[in-house]
Amino acid sequence: MAAAAPTSRGHGLLGYGPTALALALFIWFLGFLPVVSAGQAASWAVPWIPVLGIDLAFRIDGLSLTFALLISGIGTLVLLYANSYLTGDPQFDRFVLFLTSFMLAMLGLVLADDLIVLFVFWELTTITSYLLIGYGHDSEKSRRNALQALFLTGAGALAFLAGAILLGEAAGTYRISEVLAQGKAIQDHPHFTAILILVFLGALTKSAQVPFHFWLPNAMAAPTPVSAFLHSATMVKAGVYLLARLHPAMSGGDLWLYTLTILGVVTAVFASLLALRQTDLKQALAYTTLMALGTLVMLLGQDSGYAMTAFATFLIVHSLYKAALFLVVGNLDAATGTRETDALGGLGRVLPMTALAAALAGMSMAGLPPFLGFIGKELTYAGMLQVASFPVILSIMALLANGLILAVASVVAIRPFWSARQPKTPVKNAIPWTMAAGPVVLAVLGTIFGIMPGLLQNTLVAPTVLSLTGDIAETKQLKLWAGVNLPLFLSLATFVLGGLFYAWHATLRARLAMLDRLPNLDEAWDRFMASIKTFAIALTSRIQTGRMTDYMAVTFSTIAIGLIATVLLRGLPPLSPSFADVTPIHLALIGLLLSGTFMATITRKRIAAIAALGVVGIGVALVFIFFSAPDVAITQLLVEVLVVVLVAIVMLQLPRLRDYPNRFRPGHAVIAAGVGGSVTLVLLAILSTPLDRRLTTFFETASWPEAFGRNIVNVILVDFRALDTFGEVAVVVVAAIASIALLRQNRKGRS
Amino acid sequence: MEALLAITIGILVAAAVYLMLSGHMMRFIFGLVLISNAANLTIFTAGRLTPGAPPLIPLGFDGPAGDVANALPQALVLTAIVIGFGLFAFAVTLVWRAWVALGTIEADDMRIAEPKEDSQ
């Protein structure tokens, strides 16, 4: 990805500015350590949508602070790293904007104390990560993978929103701390199962658990710093965070226990097999991330103090070593131009700092003493053994996964640097200190915490366990030497197993190729997307024909269906059409109207059509005269004359009507009959209901005393509704101006 | 008479819709004239028909003497007739202009905005 040789200066202030922001945030969060380690929490709330009871509420407790420190701390190092890694990239300004926005969204997510606010930040991380994965937008693969991540996690987020609303309604509050304060009471609510499934859908898509795992390795299309940040320490852990956040209220039931345990274990084992299968180092790390997420989800399925302590520890361990290793791989890529495991070798002496970070982080990942990874693994085993229902199977699965991860750690962190059998890879670019700092700091932290676990014990681990269980006493001791016990033997077994896996990893990798033949949701995804497109094209060509008459037919059909549906749904008042008062003159008048209409519809002569329209117009005027509307009749007559004159003038310039056969169109006739019939029905319905004359009565009584006019219609028009009439005049003037413009344009065109 | 007029209006509307759907701009204009007449009649009829009693106030009275026709729909229809005429005049000019510019009077041939190639 790097466009030029990385330099420590990178993009200057554009890179250092956001780094400083992240660092400031990190330091600010450090300031909360005393409060939080005392078992307290800090919170703020500003009313946001008071009508819905939604506040911009934030809260810092153990779990939130652990996440916030990881996000801002790793964010600082990643931003510093990216500044050099993307030296010379012309779009770095965009990149740094996306990455910083992502970091802030992620911080918002872990600090939010309101379900809806949490959802908003959740979606912000989805969108910003979409932009980051698709950063190399000139490659089709990266666009596809970005969209895949967006759709999949976006769909999960919608499920989560539904779950959040159900949860908020069930608990009577959207404030997370208040929901949690109700304890497990929520589990008796009739909607609890639905809430749980919806929350699972959101969390498990975000954290890429089987069978939604496929988007995460694809998301490696992003530049390496993004992978290091999003896909190790932060975004993918949002799902884990959500499960952990709701753990106190929602855990304990069978659905919670079995879903999370089974999916977590399957993900962990499956992903670690696939990790060994990869030859691209970054892909291998992506799958080990899946393994770690699986382990975390599995731990959250439990309730025991060991499992919770293991969760809190493993969360930190994993973020430290995984971000470090991603950055190491980025360094290898920047230095040599390749990430293929078989092409890399002998780099230990050329890239000493990177090699040191790789070794420390790799050993932490492998779970060797005295690193923090060892403690995390021991606690995980202890947590597994506490599971009441099937400790043996779980432990064996965890053993298998850990052994595989040990082998992968060796492949990623040791082999490219120290293996004697590998050819020496030529180094093209030097690695500036800014790119070495990140992995070294993270890896050294993992070592320090391993040697002195007391540093973490009361500051972060215990408060996190408090957030998870509500009881700080549940926290188990973090120690390198926990005595001779079953977890220790499991650890020893892991080392043996991992060593064997590493020794035979080339053979195993070839064998594991058969995993590629498993039914794969990734390919199903492509077919799914293609079918959406096909459907859209088919639908569009159906409804967007580009033919005006089709659009009008749809419009008129909608009117007809709307009217008929209203009549059917609301029912009609009893219709009482009365023809008693019909006189012969009335019949003649109706005959005049209908014959004119008929003539205008079927005629093939222009002049006949004009005459027929004239007849209809006169007929309407006669209706007005008969039924006491002299003013309306006069207007109608005047307008009718103008209409006929205009039509006559224009028609004579248009082609003759008989050149265009007026074929009978049955479909259009049905639509026309539908509209006409429904108008009649509605009008009959109106005539069957009593008339509300209140307005008319007002005008009749006020016309003379208030406006001094004896013609009530005229008074309404020029006095009570004068502004209406003014608007009407404006419409006519606008129409006249527009017509003149059209006519003028033509004259110019001719000359 | 109101019921009879309601049925007549339905026929007017049906004829107007059928003409407007023809795809021929001249017939569309005929349909436009018919449908605006039908709309005016609908409003007028919905306000009830009263023969031989225009809404006037005789000299020396403060209000109309006896039951007179409903003045409100009359005022509405009067406005509608004029606006309908404005719309009609503009539509006629537009049709004529389209004929001069495009050389066709059929709506489905006026496909500058949506050329045929794009519809598939």
Side-chain angles (χ1 to χ4, degrees):
Chain A
M1 283 301 294
T7 62
S8 61
R9 196 182 173 279
H11 295 261
L13 206 58
L14 192 60
Y16 292 138
T19 309
L21 171 73
L23 185 64
L25 281 169
F26 180 72
I27 293 167
W28 187 65
F29 284 123
L30 277 181
F32 286 96
L33 274 177
V35 180
V36 169
S37 55
Q40 306 291 312
S43 55
W44 305 262
V46 184
W48 183 28
I49 314 174
V51 191
L52 300 176
I54 296 169
D55 296 336
L56 272 178
F58 297 98
R59 189 163 187 274
I60 298 187
D61 65 352
L63 182 65
S64 295
L65 185 64
T66 306
F67 267 94
L69 284 173
L70 287 174
I71 294 162
S72 55
I74 296 178
T76 308
L77 296 170
V78 165
L79 279 162
L80 181 71
Y81 181 92
N83 182 32
S84 294
Y85 185 78
L86 293 174
T87 298
D89 189 315
Q91 296 186 320
F92 182 76
D93 44 359
R94 273 186 9 173
F95 177 85
V96 81
L97 175 69
F98 296 159
L99 198 62
T100 315
S101 315
F102 170 80
M103 182 183 74
L104 295 177
M106 196 64 210
L107 285 173
L109 195 161
V110 298
L111 298 180
D113 193 27
D114 184 288
L115 287 166
I116 302 300
V117 176
L118 176 66
F119 168 77
V120 170
F121 282 113
W122 183 283
E123 280 297 58
L124 282 175
T125 65
T126 307
I127 294 164
T128 43
S129 77
Y130 161 71
L131 293 169
L132 284 167
I133 299 170
Y135 178 66
H137 55 77
D138 42 356
S139 127
E140 190 187 344
K141 185 164 160 267
S142 118
R143 292 199 301 272
R144 173 215 178 247
N145 292 346
L147 261 186
Q148 188 183 51
L150 177 72
F151 284 166
L152 205 64
T153 54
L158 284 182
F160 165 54
L161 175 64
I165 292 172
L166 275 182
L167 177 60
E169 293 301 318
T173 172
Y174 284 90
R175 193 66 68 88
I176 296 171
S177 47
E178 288 170 14
V179 173
L180 298 183
Q182 299 174 6
K184 301 203 189 284
I186 190 76
Q187 303 198 6
D188 298 328
H189 196 275
H191 292 156
F192 177 67
T193 310
I195 294 171
L196 204 53
I197 290 172
L198 290 167
V199 167
F200 279 166
L201 278 175
L204 299 181
T205 48
K206 195 88 166 174
S207 281
Q209 298 298 293
V210 169
F212 307 116
H213 61 285
F214 56 90
W215 73 265
L216 180 59
N218 288 341
M220 293 301 133
T224 300
V226 173
S227 307
F229 194 32
L230 272 65
H231 306 126
S232 66
T234 55
M235 189 183 89
V236 289
K237 290 217 177 95
V240 172
Y241 170 79
L242 179 66
L243 294 175
R245 182 84 286 168
L246 298 176
H247 187 274
M250 301 182 89
S251 69
D254 279 353
L255 185 60
W256 177 278
L257 171 69
Y258 288 107
T259 309
L260 296 188
T261 309
I262 293 171
L263 285 183
V265 159
V266 170
T267 306
V269 174
F270 185 61
S272 44
L273 283 171
L274 282 173
L276 198 62
R277 155 96 189 89
Q278 307 304 317
T279 56
D280 181 329
L281 291 179
K282 202 170 152 192
Q283 285 292 330
L285 285 179
Y287 281 103
T288 63
T289 302
L290 281 180
M291 176 270 180
L293 294 171
T295 308
L296 287 171
V297 166
M298 177 175 69
L299 288 169
L300 280 176
Q302 323 305 322
D303 266 333
S304 71
Y306 271 113
M308 296 304 105
T309 314
F311 170 82
T313 316
F314 192 65
L315 177 73
I316 301 169
V317 177
H318 172 252
S319 299
L320 292 178
Y321 76 66
K322 190 52 65 65
L325 286 179
F326 264 114
L327 297 180
V328 163
V329 170
N331 281 351
L332 290 178
D333 196 6
T336 66
T338 181
R339 298 193 306 243
E340 282 298 311
T341 160
D342 290 333
L344 290 163
L347 294 164
R349 283 178 210 291
V350 200
L351 304 169
M353 294 315 278
T354 306
L356 171 72
L360 295 178
M363 285 189 274
S364 187
M365 172 167 161
L368 295 173
F371 297 93
L372 188 57
F374 175 74
I375 301 175
K377 184 159 55 63
E378 296 266 289
L379 282 166
T380 307
Y381 281 135
M384 290 299 104
L385 292 167
Q386 294 276 317
V387 178
S389 39
F390 33 82
V392 180
I393 303 173
L394 276 186
S395 302
I396 292 173
M397 297 291 245
L399 179 67
L400 181 61
N402 279 322
L404 286 163
I405 287 308
L406 194 151
V408 177
S410 316
V411 172
V412 175
I414 311 296
R415 201 150 160 266
F417 300 98
W418 308 112
S419 173
R421 274 183 285 172
Q422 290 288 104
K424 283 207 171 192
T425 315
V427 171
K428 292 183 238 159
N429 297 318
I431 296 300
W433 71 267
T434 45
M435 287 171 70
V440 169
V441 168
L442 292 170
V444 167
L445 273 180
T447 317
I448 295 175
F449 288 144
I451 298 167
M452 292 181 280
L455 286 178
L456 280 182
Q457 176 80 43
N458 291 324
T459 48
L460 287 177
V461 172
T464 305
V465 174
L466 174 68
S467 301
L468 287 168
T469 61
D471 184 4
I472 205 157
E474 290 275 340
T475 320
K476 304 300 170 191
Q477 278 297 317
L478 270 61
K479 42 194 165 187
L480 278 173
W481 178 247
V484 180
N485 53 16
L486 202 45
L488 182 70
F489 286 113
L490 283 170
S491 276
L492 293 175
T494 311
F495 300 147
V496 176
L497 199 60
L500 293 175
F501 283 144
Y502 176 65
W504 291 326
H505 79 267
T507 329
L508 274 174
R509 184 186 295 156
R511 287 286 170 80
L512 285 170
M514 71 178 191
L515 282 178
D516 296 349
R517 274 183 268 129
L518 281 177
N520 191 344
L521 274 182
D522 198 23
E523 283 159 20
W525 171 268
D526 279 336
R527 283 197 298 278
F528 172 66
M529 294 308 284
S531 66
I532 288 183
K533 269 191 204 161
T534 319
F535 172 73
I537 291 169
L539 189 69
T540 309
S541 64
R542 264 292 175 79
I543 59 177
Q544 297 290 325
T545 56
R547 289 164 52 93
M548 194 64 198
T549 39
D550 289 345
Y551 299 150
M552 288 186 58
V554 169
T555 309
F556 280 124
S557 306
T558 311
I559 293 173
I561 291 168
L563 284 175
I564 292 168
T566 313
V567 164
L568 286 180
L569 288 177
R570 316 245 337 232
L572 281 176
L575 296 184
S576 50
S578 146
F579 301 99
D581 58 340
V582 178
T583 62
I585 296 179
H586 291 160
L587 282 179
L589 186 53
I590 299 293
L592 193 68
L593 279 172
L594 290 183
S595 58
T597 308
F598 186 66
M599 188 72 182
T601 312
I602 63 153
T603 185
R604 299 177 65 174
K605 289 189 176 145
R606 290 176 293 182
I607 204 76
I610 295 168
L613 290 181
V615 168
V616 175
I618 302 289
V620 173
L622 284 174
V623 171
F624 294 144
I625 290 177
F626 270 114
F627 297 102
S628 322
D631 300 286
V632 186
I634 292 167
T635 318
Q636 170 76 16
L637 277 174
L638 285 174
V639 163
E640 203 50 48
V641 172
L642 281 172
V643 166
V644 171
V645 169
L646 250 177
V647 170
I649 293 173
V650 171
M651 290 292 155
L652 295 179
Q653 302 207 25
L654 293 178
R656 287 182 298 187
L657 209 50
R658 88 169 81 113
D659 299 338
Y660 299 89
N662 194 6
R663 259 182 254 102
F664 178 64
R665 294 161 277 128
H668 289 169
V670 170
I671 296 173
V675 179
S678 50
V679 167
T680 297
L681 260 183
V682 170
L683 190 49
L684 284 175
I686 293 172
L687 292 171
S688 308
T689 47
L691 180 68
D692 183 350
R693 272 186 72 104
R694 272 178 297 172
L695 264 178
T696 307
T697 311
F698 164 77
F699 288 124
E700 283 173 351
T701 49
S703 183
W704 173 252
E706 287 185 25
F708 304 105
R710 297 193 177 276
N711 183 333
I712 302 169
V713 175
N714 286 3
V715 170
I716 294 174
L717 285 175
V718 300
D719 198 310
F720 292 117
R721 310 285 313 152
L723 218 64
D724 264 5
T725 309
F726 178 71
E728 169 200 340
V729 173
V731 169
V732 175
V733 171
V734 168
I737 292 172
S739 300
I740 291 170
L742 284 174
L743 297 173
R744 278 266 177 87
Q745 207 181 4
N746 184 56
R747 208 174 293 155
K748 243 186 257 168
R750 270 186 194 160
S751 63
Chain B
M1 183 59 190
E2 278 135 350
L4 192 58
L5 213 47
I7 294 164
T8 312
I9 289 168
I11 296 171
L12 262 163
V13 169
V17 169
Y18 186 75
L19 279 170
M20 290 170 96
L21 285 173
S22 72
H24 187 278
M25 295 313 288
M26 215 188 296
R27 293 201 173 97
F28 176 88
I29 295 284
F30 301 161
L32 190 67
V33 173
L34 285 183
I35 211 167
S36 56
N37 275 325
N40 293 342
L41 276 182
T42 306
I43 299 171
F44 189 66
T45 311
R48 304 299 189 273
L49 303 174
T50 315
L56 300 172
I57 301 168
L59 278 175
F61 285 80
D62 275 354
D67 285 343
V68 293
N70 194 344
L72 184 64
Q74 292 194 17
L76 295 179
V77 169
L78 218 151
T79 311
I81 290 173
V82 178
I83 291 193
F85 172 70
L87 175 69
F88 163 80
F90 180 70
V92 166
T93 325
L94 201 59
V95 166
W96 176 71
R97 178 80 190 107
W99 161 249
V100 172
L102 303 173
T104 177
I105 193 81
E106 290 187 286
D108 291 343
D109 292 335
M110 299 176 181
R111 303 185 66 128
I112 292 176
E114 286 188 76
K116 271 208 170 90
E117 308 82 85
D118 286 6
S119 63
Q120 284 305 310

